């Protein structure tokens, strides 16, 4: 592996916890600090708050000083994780099972004091990406790390008559690949800089590890099990494998 993608493990993190940082914290940090660029006064909607990216993103937003955060949860265990580990109130967590887009939109706006959001972060895709488009205010930002099989299924691209389409003349959409930055070798030092920054933040206790689950040694069987767990939903934090 090129040295630009490696840094010293934060002393307060276990090997398993440190292994999750480049995938989860690095991508979340890029989505927020390089793309969304919120201020402490902004309101932020996070789709997928209990996952690896979402849990890292909520911590980074709190570190910046953002207080107006609303996120989603699909299970009671995820809600408890968000409240207990990520320090949000139950009123900041939106339960989405068995609810349509319209109801979710209304509940999210109500949780934000009756206002649309300045920024929305999509770490789930599909219906959650549509929800992010519905919730963003005029001149707002949407950042997504999830590519769609058919991006034109997201209704904002169509000229439908809706409040969203009427306010989207000044809408900013950012697509961030799951591997974060990409490009020529000249861009690689950016990874080094951001990994150094994250190491400092963990060691300064500005960020903290949550929900890291080691599901065993790397093998075809454990990879299969990991995919099954992800597809079933309900994972809090990040899955990691150990290498013998």
């Amino acid at each position: 592996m090129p040295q630009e993608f490696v840094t010293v493990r934060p002393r307060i993190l276990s090997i398993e916890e440190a292994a999750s940082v480049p995938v989860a914290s690095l991508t979340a940090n890029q989505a927020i600090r390089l793309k969304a660029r919120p201020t402490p006064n902004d309101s932020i909607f996070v789709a997928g708050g209990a996952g690896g990216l979402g849990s890292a993103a909520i911590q980074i937003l709190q570190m910046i000083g953002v207080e107006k955060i609303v996120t989603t949860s699909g299970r009671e265990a995820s809600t408890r994780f968000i409240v207990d580990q990520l320090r949000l109130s139950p009123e900041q967590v939106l339960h989405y099972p068995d609810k349509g887009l319209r109801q979710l939109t209304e509940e999210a706006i109500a949780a934000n004091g009756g206002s649309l959001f300045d920024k929305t972060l999509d770490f789930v895709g599909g219906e959650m990406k549509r929800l992010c488009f519905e919730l963003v205010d005029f001149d707002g930002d949407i950042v997504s790390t999830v590519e769609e099989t058919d991006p034109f299924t997201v209704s904002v691209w169509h000229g439908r008559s809706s409040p969203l389409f009427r306010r989207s003349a000044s809408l900013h959409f950012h697509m961030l690949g799951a591997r974060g930055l990409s490009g020529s070798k000249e861009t690689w030092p950016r990874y080094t800089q951001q990994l150094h920054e994250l190491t400092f933040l963990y060691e300064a206790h500005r960020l903290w590890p949550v929900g890291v689950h080691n599901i065993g040694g790397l093998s075809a069987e454990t990879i299969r099990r990991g995919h099954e767990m992800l597809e079933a939903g309900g994972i809090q934090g990040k899955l990691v494998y150990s290498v013998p």
Side-chain angles (χ1 to χ4, degrees), residues 204-226:
H205 300 280
R206 301 289 303 280
L207 301 176
W208 60 96
V210 292
V212 178
H213 307 283
N214 189 336
I215 59 176
L218 184 63
S219 68
E221 175 57 33
T222 54
I223 291 173
R224 184 181 305 109
R225 188 190 319 147

Side-chain angles (χ1 to χ4, degrees), residues 44-173:
I44 314 292
F45 178 79
V46 180
L53 282 173
S55 58
I58 289 172
Q59 290 184 55
I60 293 169
L61 291 171
Q62 292 169 328
M63 180 190 69
I64 293 171
V66 177
E67 296 182 354
K68 293 180 286 186
I69 303 170
V70 175
T71 190
T72 60
S73 168
R75 299 169 184 257
E76 284 299 323
S78 296
T79 300
R80 290 194 301 271
F81 172 81
I82 292 168
V83 172
D84 295 342
Q85 299 293 321
L86 302 180
R87 308 171 187 176
L88 295 187
S89 70
E91 291 74 27
Q92 292 174 277
V93 184
L94 183 68
H95 298 268
Y96 64 82
D98 303 320
K99 295 178 182 177
L101 185 62
R102 183 181 185 87
Q103 182 178 356
L104 290 172
T105 301
E106 292 173 351
E107 290 185 5
I109 291 173
N112 193 39
S115 299
L116 294 165
F117 292 82
D118 299 298
K119 320 272 184 180
T120 61
L121 304 174
D122 166 43
F123 301 129
V124 180
E127 284 299 308
M128 287 293 109
K129 186 183 268 94
R130 294 182 177 88
L131 181 59
C132 286
F133 274 101
E134 292 290 342
L135 291 175
V136 72
D137 203 351
F138 181 84
D139 203 28
D141 290 271
I142 302 168
V143 181
S144 179
T145 62
V146 184
E147 297 181 4
E148 303 296 337
T149 304
D150 179 8
F152 289 93
T153 60
V154 179
S155 54
V156 72
W157 304 126
H158 302 287
R160 64 185 176 90
S161 177
S162 72
L164 167 63
F165 187 75
R166 289 195 293 273
R167 69 173 181 271
S168 64
S170 189
L171 182 68
H172 313 131
F173 179 65

Side-chain angles (χ1 to χ4, degrees), residues 31-49:
I32 293 170
R33 303 183 76 177
L34 299 184
K35 299 297 182 179
R37 299 182 179 180
T39 69
N41 294 325
D42 284 334
S43 58
I44 314 292
F45 178 79
V46 180

